[in-house]
């Protein structure tokens, strides 16, 4: 084999090796970009859930106070608090509609679905609270269970 052919073979090996390294580096960069995009989406989701749980906690307390006082207290605070909770939930729903949840683990999808089911019952709970047709224990249990799901979702996002 001539020196020229040996040099060409060495060049081919070096170029092939360099191309392989470049390909792996690009592949890793793409994977990391996708990971970072998902992390950003989950971070925003956690923020929106945190804002919502703050409002549901306040609504739980105002509802308990309203029921406990047989409607004498918190009658002016409760409607305003319900609007705040509804507003935060709407923000969350709008954000969830922008996400492709199939990209995330099934456990997270399941917890979100379960939470949304609980949140779907809030109008019924609110009606019962307004009519004083629910006990404090049951009202608090509803909100506590829903808030536990929110916290679990936040934990899953981390």
């Amino acid at each position: 084999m001539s020196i020229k052919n040996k040099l060409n073979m060495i060049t081919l090996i070096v170029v092939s090796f360099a191309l392989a390294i470049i390909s792996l580096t690009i592949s890793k960069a793409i994977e990391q970009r996708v990971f970072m995009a998902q992390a950003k989406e989950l971070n925003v989701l956690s923020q929106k859930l945190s804002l919502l749980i703050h409002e549901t906690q306040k609504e739980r307390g105002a509802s308990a106070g309203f029921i406990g006082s047989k409607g004498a207290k918190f009658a002016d605070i409760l409607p305003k608090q319900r609007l705040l909770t509804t507003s935060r939930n709407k923000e969350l729903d709008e954000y969830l509609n922008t996400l492709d949840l199939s990209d995330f683990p099934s456990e997270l999808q399941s917890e979100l679905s379960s939470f949304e089911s609980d949140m779907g019952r809030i109008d019924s709970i609110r009606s019962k609270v307004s009519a004083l047709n629910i006990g404090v224990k049951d009202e608090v249990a509803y909100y506590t269970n829903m808030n536990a799901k929110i916290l679990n979702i936040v934990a899953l996002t981390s």
Side-chain angles (χ1 to χ4, degrees):
M1 193 182 270
S2 71
I3 293 180
K4 182 180 179 182
N5 286 341
K6 288 179 183 178
L7 287 175
N8 283 338
M9 189 180 302
I10 291 172
T11 302
L12 180 64
I13 292 171
V14 170
V15 169
S16 298
F17 184 70
L19 288 175
I21 290 175
I22 290 170
S23 296
L24 287 172
T25 303
I26 290 172
S27 174
K28 288 280 188 188
I30 290 170
E31 284 178 24
Q32 189 152 20
R33 186 173 186 179
V34 168
F35 176 78
M36 293 302 290
Q38 285 183 340
K40 182 180 177 185
E41 290 172 341
L42 291 174
N43 186 21
V44 172
L45 176 61
S46 290
Q47 290 172 0
K48 296 206 178 287
L49 286 165
S50 296
L51 292 170
L52 176 59
I53 197 171
H54 178 70
E55 300 304 335
T56 59
Q57 289 280 58
K58 293 191 304 186
E59 184 171 333
R60 176 179 71 177
S63 296
F66 181 80
I67 295 167
S69 70
K70 307 256 189 272
K73 296 180 181 177
F74 298 96
D76 57 335
I77 294 171
L78 194 52
K80 294 174 190 171
Q81 185 54 51
R82 288 175 176 172
L83 288 175
L84 290 171
T85 302
T86 298
S87 174
R88 291 296 186 191
N89 188 51
K90 184 179 178 188
E91 290 173 15
L92 174 64
D93 284 342
E94 288 171 356
Y95 183 70
L96 285 172
N97 287 333
T98 68
L99 295 179
D100 182 6
L101 295 176
S102 65
D103 291 339
F104 299 105
S106 60
E107 185 179 6
L108 178 62
Q109 294 174 39
S110 175
E111 285 293 322
L112 279 167
S113 177
S114 179
F115 159 72
E116 288 175 333
S117 175
D118 280 359
M119 196 65 189
R121 294 181 22 234
I122 199 166
D123 287 334
S124 171
I125 297 296
R126 287 173 172 171
S127 294
K128 290 177 182 178
V129 168
S130 295
L132 299 173
N133 288 337
I134 189 171
V136 172
K137 181 180 176 184
D138 291 334
E139 174 266 332
V140 168
Y142 164 76
Y143 284 101
T144 300
N145 182 48
M146 185 171 59
N147 290 344
K149 288 180 182 178
I150 294 172
L151 292 173
N152 191 40
I153 293 167
V154 171
L156 287 173
T157 62
S158 64

